[in-house]
Amino acid sequence: MATYLYKLGRFAFRRRHFVALLWVALLTLAGVGAASAPPAGNSSFSIPGTEAQRAFDLLEQRFPGMSADGATARVVFKAPEGQKMTDAGNKAAVEKTVKELGSGSEVASVADPYTGKAVSRDGAIAYASVKYKVSGMELEDSSRDALKESAGHARDAGLTVEIGGDALTTAPETGSSEVIGIAIAAVVLVITFGSLIAAGLPLLTAIIGVGIGVSAITALATPLDLGSTTSTLATMIGLAVGIDYALFIVSRYRAELAEGRDREEAAGRAVGTAGSAVVFAGLTVVIALVGLSVVNIPMLTKMGVAAAGTVAIAVLIALTMIPALLGYAGRTVKPAGEKSKLLGGGRAAKKAGRPNMGTRWASFVVRRPVTVLLLGVVGLGAAAVPAASLELGLPDDGSQPVSTTQRRAYDLLSDGFGPGFNGPLMVVVDAKGSADKKAAFAKVGDEITGLKDVVTVTPPAPNKAGDTAIITVVPKSQPSSATTEDLVHAIRGKSASIASATDAKLLVTGATAMNIDVSQKLNDALLPYLALVVGLAFLLLIVVFRSILVPLKAALGFLLSVLAALGAVVAVFQWGWLSGLMNVEQTGPVMSMMPIFMVGVVFGLAMDYEVFLVTRMREAYVHGENPGQAVVTGFRYSARVVTAAAVIMIAVFSGFIGSSEAMIKMIGFGLAIAVFFDAFIVRMAVVPAVLALLGRRAWWLPAWLDRALPNVDVEGEGLRTDSDPDGDRELVSA
């Protein structure tokens, strides 16, 4: 592989006009496709294999036109102090608002508070329920705007009006976060390279790669039902890896220049060596992201595949466009150690023999491997302790900041009708096979009424055929509580006895039940997903490193960093530690998608650092250095660049901590702290300590497996044995 990539790098350097024109053409084509595509709506949302989804599907069949999984909104009214919602003026304002709410094209129905008994006992609070024909993910912005305008008219009449429900669900804005990440990345790159031109190359190629990827997603949004939220993960990951992959190749190019090679040869060797690491690092990220499909949640699968496509583009751009741009840059990109005139006064490289910080650190670790290993493992273990108390759930309006209308509506409903009113359960009774359908409906209602934590059980509401009924159950506890989850399981636990007594089937659905089912589905999929991703990457790393223990060590180190990161997430978002610093207004269960999401993304990124760092060690080892010296050599050439790459990753992810959305804030913090743990503790401390302790055993591989594995030559051994191709070369100026 190194030889092939070496030729590719030299070709891109020589034919820089062709390569640059090709990528510009692809960016233009993707941009035109995105501009001409219809506006992306929100993708359809379904959770195959869950009881809540089966109930929704049954309702679509038995209650045609009901839109059982359609978005809902609750417009909550509160009378001024000393007044009641039943007063004539207040009642007239509410009825006018209800009329306006029902005029939307996507509105299925609106329930009047006064005919639907939706006024609190003290008369201070009332609410109107709005049902839409489409889900919250598919609702048009015009419908949301009309909902807000109707509420505004009621406020003009003197009422306090707040809106809750999933109808207000929108994709969070993250543009400013991306700008912050890019700005910090630019500063880190300038410090790393000491040159504005060299620092600008990774930024330029990353932006082009993300531009192509996101534009392609936008262009294909309608035919593939990708939706407007699919590009969020693609942008986050594509930007981070795009900068990192280009960073490693530019850094290796400067190192090759420092060894006296001409620029075309340096570009070829940089792509042949660092480019090989980029290919395999990219493959691990792609495996992790595509592997999200095993969860069988369509939205998550689409996000993973879209992000994987953006990563693949980032790899291709790093292998081709970076050497082409290096050809354009010429002598403005200095050999390693030299600074540009603008930033360093044209300072020459430091004299040989003065060890850099990476060399000094690696030498210390090699001398004290046991101490460093124990400190690293114990520290990560302590950080992971809170993960034992991990509680999973999905965010609802109760987790929103108190400044939002959704949270204020949630609190008003809790005050007026009880905490459980914000998460009613919808019990679907399928009595098609029952001899006495009405008796079956009544039996289910009686059974549920006798359960704990139940406030209200509405009378069965049958369909026109009379073979299916809906019973609404209001719990005592709030939707995200463990008590409400226990109630859902208790109702479902009655299914067998109901079927035995009446031949009727019982299903529980609704937003609360759906959240519970999604959490369980994600929890059940975590171990299979972990086995698939780690297993495939383990096999891939065996091919890369031609070792058994090095990939095993990489996988175990990753598990340490992920557990430590989950512990930090629990401490901040569930326990409330440092919640003020992180602006976490409401603690509660960790988002159920977080563990599997973190495993997928962090594993791919962690293997990036493993491949870039350890391939340099492997390269030194196969070229004759002893194991300890190979560790030091790997750090001499890679530690600075890996550190810069990790800081860039952390900067990109940390920018999302400032989001007002609790989910985005949690993802940003979780990924940032995971990269910190993995890069600076696992890869920079635990990895060299383990390799120093293992010595030559680290690179052991059974002879039969050595013969069976393909030789991908990530270390570039073939480049040392091959004679340099003939041709004119631009010499590096002395």
Side-chain angles (χ1 to χ4, degrees):
M1 176 178 285
T3 303
Y4 169 77
L5 292 177
Y6 164 80
K7 294 177 180 178
L8 177 63
R10 292 196 57 178
F11 171 82
F13 188 96
R14 289 196 308 270
R15 302 288 186 264
R16 62 193 71 131
H17 302 312
F18 169 76
V19 172
L21 183 62
L22 176 62
W23 282 111
V24 170
L26 288 175
L27 178 60
T28 303
L29 182 63
V32 170
S36 59
N42 289 298
S43 60
S44 57
F45 184 78
S46 64
I47 311 296
T50 62
E51 179 174 321
Q53 186 63 51
R54 291 197 304 271
F56 279 137
D57 295 339
L58 180 64
L59 289 173
E60 288 291 337
Q61 297 173 11
R62 306 286 175 84
F63 291 81
M66 177 185 174
S67 301
D69 59 348
T72 59
R74 280 176 169 172
V75 182
V76 187
F77 307 91
K78 182 179 181 181
E81 190 69 28
Q83 299 182 24
K84 293 187 177 182
M85 290 306 304
T86 52
D87 294 346
N90 295 335
K91 186 174 182 180
V94 171
E95 289 176 341
K96 181 180 178 181
T97 302
V98 169
K99 185 177 180 180
E100 292 176 354
L101 289 171
S103 62
S105 60
E106 291 185 313
V107 175
S109 63
V110 180
D112 188 304
Y114 301 103
T115 59
K117 297 181 180 180
V119 180
S120 62
R121 290 184 178 181
D122 61 4
I125 298 172
Y127 70 91
S129 296
V130 186
K131 185 72 174 178
Y132 291 89
K133 299 174 183 177
V134 295
S135 69
M137 302 295 290
E138 300 171 285
L139 199 64
E140 295 291 338
D141 289 338
S142 58
S143 296
R144 295 191 182 94
D145 293 339
L147 177 63
K148 295 173 184 177
E149 289 174 7
S150 300
H153 296 158
R155 291 191 185 99
D156 294 340
L159 298 176
T160 299
V161 187
E162 305 295 347
I163 307 171
D166 60 350
L168 294 184
T169 301
T170 58
E173 298 292 335
T174 56
S176 60
S177 302
E178 295 159 14
V179 172
I180 293 171
I182 292 175
I184 297 176
V187 173
V188 174
L189 288 169
V190 170
I191 294 173
T192 302
F193 289 139
S195 166
L196 292 176
I197 299 296
L201 296 183
L203 287 174
L204 176 61
T205 54
I207 292 172
I208 290 174
V210 170
I212 293 174
V214 172
S215 296
I217 291 170
T218 304
L220 298 173
T222 299
L224 298 183
D225 191 29
L226 297 179
S228 58
T229 59
T230 309
S231 61
T232 302
L233 179 60
T235 301
M236 186 188 297
I237 303 302
L239 191 62
V241 302
I243 294 173
D244 279 7
Y245 294 164
L247 166 65
F248 280 103
I249 291 180
V250 173
S251 178
R252 186 59 184 258
Y253 171 77
R254 296 178 71 235
E256 296 292 338
L257 290 180
E259 293 183 7
R261 294 188 172 86
D262 66 67
R263 297 188 180 279
E264 182 180 326
E265 179 69 11
R269 287 180 177 269
V271 175
T273 51
S276 298
V278 165
V279 170
F280 283 99
L283 278 176
T284 59
V285 180
V286 169
I287 287 172
L289 292 171
V290 174
L292 290 170
S293 58
V294 304
V295 184
N296 195 26
I297 294 179
M299 183 181 69
L300 194 59
T301 299
K302 292 171 187 176
M303 290 177 65
V305 172
T310 307
V311 171
I313 293 172
V315 171
L316 293 175
I317 284 184
L319 298 178
T320 56
M321 195 170 185
I322 282 294
L325 293 178
L326 289 171
Y328 284 118
R331 290 183 174 86
T332 58
V333 177
K334 305 292 184 182
E338 292 188 18
K339 304 290 184 181
S340 67
K341 291 183 179 180
L342 178 63
L343 297 176
R347 186 171 70 246
K350 295 180 181 179
K351 294 182 180 180
R354 295 181 62 185
N356 59 22
M357 184 170 292
T359 302
R360 296 195 297 272
W361 169 250
S363 299
F364 170 77
V365 174
V366 169
R367 291 195 306 270
R368 300 284 188 274
V370 175
T371 302
V372 173
L373 180 60
L374 286 176
L375 286 175
V377 172
V378 170
L380 290 174
V385 168
S389 302
L390 177 66
E391 296 178 7
L392 298 178
L394 287 178
D396 56 18
D397 287 347
S399 62
Q400 297 276 359
V402 293
S403 58
T404 62
T405 186
Q406 297 98 312
R407 173 62 185 275
R408 292 195 293 267
Y410 182 97
D411 292 340
L412 284 175
L413 288 172
S414 295
D415 293 341
F417 302 93
F421 198 79
N422 283 289
L425 307 176
M426 186 185 297
V427 179
V428 182
V429 186
D430 179 6
K432 196 169 186 178
S434 179
D436 189 344
K437 296 175 177 52
K438 290 185 179 180
F441 300 153
K443 173 72 172 175
V444 172
D446 292 341
E447 290 284 341
I448 296 174
T449 303
L451 295 174
K452 294 181 180 178
D453 199 48
V454 172
V455 174
T456 305
V457 178
T458 64
N463 61 350
K464 290 183 179 180
D467 58 5
T468 308
I470 299 173
I471 299 174
T472 301
V473 180
V474 177
K476 290 181 182 177
S477 306
Q478 62 185 14
S480 60
S481 69
T483 307
T484 300
E485 182 175 350
D486 292 341
L487 175 61
V488 170
H489 293 313
I491 296 174
R492 288 173 173 171
K494 297 289 184 180
S495 180
S497 61
I498 293 293
S500 176
T502 65
D503 292 324
K505 298 177 182 177
L506 180 153
L507 300 170
V508 183
T509 188
T512 301
M514 178 65 84
N515 287 351
I516 292 170
D517 286 354
V518 170
S519 298
Q520 187 62 48
K521 189 178 182 69
L522 289 166
N523 191 48
D524 292 343
L526 182 58
L527 287 181
Y529 173 69
L530 189 63
L532 173 69
V533 171
V534 175
L536 289 176
F538 180 78
L539 296 176
L540 186 65
L541 293 179
I542 289 178
V543 174
V544 174
F545 297 128
R546 306 193 76 79
S547 164
I548 297 294
L549 296 180
V550 171
L552 180 61
K553 172 264 307 169
L556 293 176
F558 155 74
L559 292 176
L560 267 178
S561 59
V562 165
L563 287 174
L566 280 176
V569 169
V570 170
V572 173
F573 292 90
Q574 187 176 309
W575 292 359
W577 293 5
L578 301 178
S579 58
L581 180 64
M582 296 293 170
N583 198 27
V584 178
E585 297 186 15
Q586 182 71 30
T587 59
V590 172
M591 182 182 64
S592 55
M593 195 180 295
M594 193 68 191
I596 201 164
F597 184 83
M598 186 179 291
V599 166
V601 176
V602 175
F603 181 79
L605 301 181
M607 293 306 103
D608 279 1
Y609 304 128
E610 180 75 12
V611 170
F612 289 130
L613 190 61
V614 180
T615 49
R616 200 65 157 144
M617 300 178 190
R618 169 77 180 174
E619 182 179 344
Y621 177 75
V622 299
H623 292 154
E625 294 186 6
N626 65 56
Q629 185 58 41
V631 171
V632 176
T633 300
F635 268 76
R636 179 186 307 139
Y637 292 110
S638 300
R640 179 182 177 89
V641 183
V642 169
T643 299
V647 171
I648 289 170
M649 288 272 191
I650 293 170
V652 171
F653 294 142
S654 295
F656 292 86
I657 298 177
S659 172
S660 60
E661 291 285 336
M663 180 178 70
I664 298 299
K665 185 190 295 287
M666 189 181 296
I667 289 174
F669 173 80
L671 294 182
I673 197 70
V675 170
F676 173 80
F677 285 148
D678 195 88
F680 293 109
I681 299 180
V682 173
R683 308 303 154 189
M684 290 292 185
V686 174
V687 165
V690 171
L691 291 178
L693 288 172
L694 291 175
R696 296 186 183 277
R697 294 187 298 273
W699 308 107
W700 170 80
L701 187 70
W704 63 269
L705 186 56
D706 188 35
R707 292 190 298 269
L709 292 177
N711 184 12
V712 295
D713 189 22
V714 177
E715 302 83 18
E717 182 66 21
L719 302 183
R720 294 203 172 197
T721 57
D722 291 346
S723 59
D724 290 337
D726 296 331
D728 295 333
R729 296 176 185 170
E730 176 192 358
L731 296 177
V732 179
S733 57

